[in-house]
Amino acid sequence: MSRIGFLTLISLGIFGLFTAYLYTNRISDAPMTSEHNTEDMAFRSGAIVVGSGLAGLSAASQLISHRIPVRLIERAAKPGGNSIKASSGINGAPTRFQQIPDDAFFSDTVKSAGKAMASSTPYRENLINTLTNSSKSAVEWLVDEKGVDLSRVAQLGGHSIPRTHRGAGQTPPGFSIISTLLKSLKESPLFHLQTSCTVTKVLQAGSRVTGVQYICENGAEEEAHGPVIFASGGFGGDAEGLLAKYRPDLAGYPSTNDPRPGTQPLLTAVGAQLIDMEQVQVHPTGFVDPKDPTSALKFLAAEVLRGEGGVLLLNGKRFINELDTRENVANAITSTQPKSDSPKQWEVQLVLDEGAYNAAKSHIDFYIFKGLMKKVTIADLAPGSLETIKQYAEAVAGKHSDYLQRTSFANWSLTDPTEESVVYVGTVTPIVHYTMGGVKFNEKSEVLGEEEKAIEGLWAAGEITGGVHGGNRLGGSSLLECVVFGRIAGDQCAQYISAQEK
Ligand SMILES: Cc1cc2nc3c(=O)[nH]c(=O)nc-3n(C[C@H](O)[C@H](O)[C@H](O)COP(=O)(O)OP(=O)(O)OC[C@H]3O[C@@H](n4cnc5c(N)ncnc54)[C@H](O)[C@@H]3O)c2cc1C
């Protein structure tokens, strides 16, 4: 091996190990338990946040900005939840990082929500208005107040304009955001994080929520008292529980989510309503690892790969506008015969040229390091691929319009493909990725009980909630909902505590 080749391998190895470290939740967090004992008195009149993903950390940050002490309870040994794995970015519009004026975020979100918009229309529109109207300030909060780099913007599937923000460097956006918020929270004496503790029950006095019961590693049952913000995530990783209950047809699908039980039942036990529980997002592209093709836990093939110009080929042919909604792209794949039933999976080739590779280099170098993608020539792809890629390159060059109505080709630069042209390829299959449904809440992040009445002392934010995305979440809108509704929950809970203190 040449010296340059060797050095490249070493540096890729280091990068890969670093990224693998991020992706496996190994965020530095010691010491975690009872860190600020001197504040314990204050915690009794503070707030409780359940879950340390982006929704939980956003809520906690906001509470602390109002000088409210926070006890954050997290079931995993390390904080960050699924949020820390987020790889494509967070939506915001209009922001100073966008090149094109953007007034279409609301309409894109409504369009993506699809048929679900026909029921509870004003309720859903209210939530979507809050989400999209607060998106600029959510991105600005992260960038200007917290110091997260979100200067690169890409166009993901279902968006009519590029609006998904990530950093210019190699650190994935989920990790950048979570590590920055966590670091700043840990600097506050008002923040108390308890990991390896699972909330098992919501406590009430009459209909008012007054705290939670939880169990930590030592098996002791404990109670925390105060108003509660639930930010405990979705149920995509609850394959045998809530997922099997609400979507038995998805049994056998691989997933990107950490395996853990959904927490919605803890809230229905205190009267919370559920909405859209059968709306589960099947992401069109999870990598089939050639080393372990039947693994049920898959790595996400980030949306940015298609966003930067990549195409999807099934038996050498494109079959869908790759930037169509996730639902439509996934449906186009699952309407064909699966390659395997256990797990239930398909074999689609995700192909990028050098131009798209360079734009998504940090992702692709990592995938190559992990053995999930390869650098090959077009001759190595399935028969018919050259013709397909030629046709695509002509559409990119404006020689004709794309026959699948794709209009944005981002950084694809291969204008004259031949059998020898270099491309980057990985095999992908649809995966369970996100649960749109959850507890019903409103634009104040209040959890709604019977007759749409807010349950006193209880708020929710992030993937545990339902109603915002209807039948299909736009890529980048989940991190956004965590920040928007997490911060609202923090503000509302702080107001509630202040009112009680008067
Ligand atoms: C691989 C991957 C990539 C993604 N990329 C993107 C992206 O680029 N952009 C985007 O917008 N979205 C993305 N998503 C979706 C997004 O990351 C999640 O929907 C979002 O982060 C959920 O955040 P959350 O705070 O609601 O929940 P989570 O981040 O999942 O956090 C919930 C936390 O609650 C804890 N918890 C659960 N139950 C209990 C309990 N009983 N007691 C105590 N703690 C509990 C969990 O352990 C977890 O830490 C991605 C998801 C995955 C899996």
Side-chain angles (χ1 to χ4, degrees):
M1 188 187 300
S2 73
R3 188 177 147 76
I4 290 178
F6 178 73
L7 286 175
T8 307
L9 209 69
I10 293 285
S11 59
L12 264 183
I14 292 167
F15 171 73
L17 284 173
F18 170 68
T19 315
Y21 179 81
L22 307 185
Y23 273 66
T24 47
N25 281 9
R26 296 289 179 267
I27 191 167
S28 157
D29 59 348
M32 282 301 173
T33 323
S34 298
E35 231 171 312
H36 302 297
N37 286 331
T38 51
E39 293 293 328
D40 272 355
M41 286 304 289
F43 289 125
R44 288 187 195 130
S45 58
I48 299 157
V49 176
V50 183
S52 67
L54 183 53
L57 298 186
S58 301
S61 303
Q62 207 62 19
L63 282 159
I64 283 176
S65 75
H66 295 288
R67 306 298 306 152
I68 304 288
V70 175
R71 180 187 294 274
L72 196 155
I73 304 174
E74 166 57 53
R75 81 190 291 279
K78 303 286 175 185
N82 283 313
S83 303
I84 204 168
K85 301 188 206 170
S87 48
S88 294
I90 178 167
N91 295 335
T95 73
R96 64 181 185 270
F97 304 108
Q98 290 178 289
Q99 306 293 324
I100 306 171
D102 186 354
D103 59 0
F105 191 15
F106 176 84
S107 55
D108 283 356
T109 306
V110 168
K111 190 172 164 207
S112 176
K115 289 184 208 130
M117 288 304 295
S119 70
S120 315
T121 311
Y123 166 74
R124 292 179 192 277
E125 282 181 351
N126 227 350
L127 291 176
I128 296 174
N129 250 321
T130 307
L131 180 83
T132 55
N133 287 342
S134 312
S135 66
K136 173 178 159 58
S137 60
V139 168
E140 282 172 355
W141 180 69
L142 288 170
V143 173
D144 299 330
E145 272 191 49
K146 300 295 169 188
V148 182
D149 173 21
L150 293 172
S151 55
R152 292 243 11 211
V153 183
Q155 181 172 354
L156 305 188
H159 293 269
S160 58
I161 288 171
R163 63 169 73 95
T164 307
H165 297 62
R166 66 181 198 276
Q170 297 195 332
T171 311
F175 184 83
S176 307
I177 296 172
I178 291 292
S179 56
T180 306
L181 291 187
L182 202 54
K183 182 169 176 285
S184 127
L185 281 168
K186 285 163 93 180
E187 282 161 8
S188 168
L190 297 176
F191 183 61
H192 178 83
L193 172 61
Q194 284 184 276
T195 52
S196 302
C197 294
T198 302
V199 169
T200 52
K201 192 177 173 188
V202 177
L203 304 172
Q204 277 180 301
S207 60
R208 180 168 60 93
V209 168
T210 56
V212 294
Q213 187 175 292
Y214 61 101
I215 299 181
C216 297
E217 265 178 325
N218 60 10
E221 216 156 64
E222 296 178 41
E223 288 186 359
H225 299 280
V228 182
I229 298 175
F230 256 79
S232 46
F235 58 92
D238 192 6
E240 304 304 327
L242 293 185
L243 195 61
K245 177 173 173 185
Y246 289 100
R247 284 297 298 270
D249 59 309
L250 293 178
Y253 269 60
S255 176
T256 50
N257 282 212
D258 292 340
R260 65 171 188 240
T263 47
Q264 283 82 0
L266 298 182
L267 299 191
T268 52
V270 295
Q273 302 293 304
L274 297 177
I275 183 168
D276 294 341
M277 288 296 276
E278 68 296 342
Q279 303 288 358
V280 173
Q281 191 163 64
V282 176
H283 194 286
T285 61
F287 279 117
V288 177
D289 185 345
K291 297 184 297 304
D292 191 8
T294 57
S295 170
L297 181 65
K298 304 276 192 226
F299 247 88
L300 185 76
E303 202 108 349
V304 69
L305 302 181
R306 284 175 288 137
E308 293 293 8
V311 291
L312 295 173
L313 306 184
L314 195 54
N315 303 319
K317 298 249 177 328
R318 285 179 65 224
F319 53 95
I320 180 91
N321 170 1
E322 292 82 0
L323 298 186
D324 206 329
T325 61
R326 290 173 172 184
E327 187 182 21
N328 287 346
V329 177
N331 283 346
I333 299 171
T334 57
S335 62
T336 67
Q337 197 60 24
K339 275 278 182 234
S340 125
D341 280 329
S342 179
K344 196 161 188 181
Q345 66 191 32
W346 287 257
E347 282 183 12
V348 175
Q349 310 280 281
L350 174 54
V351 181
L352 291 87
D353 76 330
E354 289 277 9
Y357 161 75
N358 281 322
K361 188 172 175 348
S362 59
H363 285 81
I364 297 175
D365 285 347
F366 172 66
Y367 299 143
I368 292 174
F369 170 75
K370 293 283 289 176
L372 299 169
M373 289 191 85
K374 287 191 293 193
K375 181 178 182 178
V376 297
T377 62
I378 291 180
D380 300 315
L381 302 177
S385 300
L386 178 59
E387 271 320 299
T388 306
I389 292 173
K390 272 185 177 164
Q391 213 170 18
Y392 180 69
E394 283 169 13
V396 176
K399 292 185 184 160
H400 53 73
S401 57
D402 181 43
Y403 72 105
L404 292 169
Q405 284 81 51
R406 182 166 173 165
T407 52
S408 164
F409 309 98
N411 288 293
W412 182 280
S413 59
L414 181 60
T415 48
D416 188 18
T418 67
E419 297 234 306
E420 286 74 43
S421 303
V422 166
V423 287
Y424 297 80
V425 62
T427 302
V428 293
T429 187
I431 39 174
V432 168
H433 185 53
Y434 181 85
T435 48
M436 269 80 67
V439 294
K440 205 165 180 189
F441 77 141
N442 63 17
E443 73 282 2
K444 291 182 182 168
S445 295
E446 294 166 322
V447 176
L448 301 179
E450 266 177 28
E451 295 168 6
E452 313 294 302
K453 268 178 60 186
I455 298 174
E456 187 183 339
L458 181 65
W459 295 263
E463 200 174 337
I464 189 180
T465 64
V468 184
H469 311 289
N472 187 58
R473 171 187 66 106
L474 282 173
S477 278
S478 176
L479 291 184
L480 175 63
E481 79 178 315
C482 290
V483 176
V484 168
F485 292 106
R487 293 185 70 207
I488 291 174
D491 284 340
Q492 293 292 319
C493 182
Q495 239 177 59
Y496 178 79
I497 289 172
S498 305
Q500 280 193 328
E501 282 167 355
K502 278 180 191 152

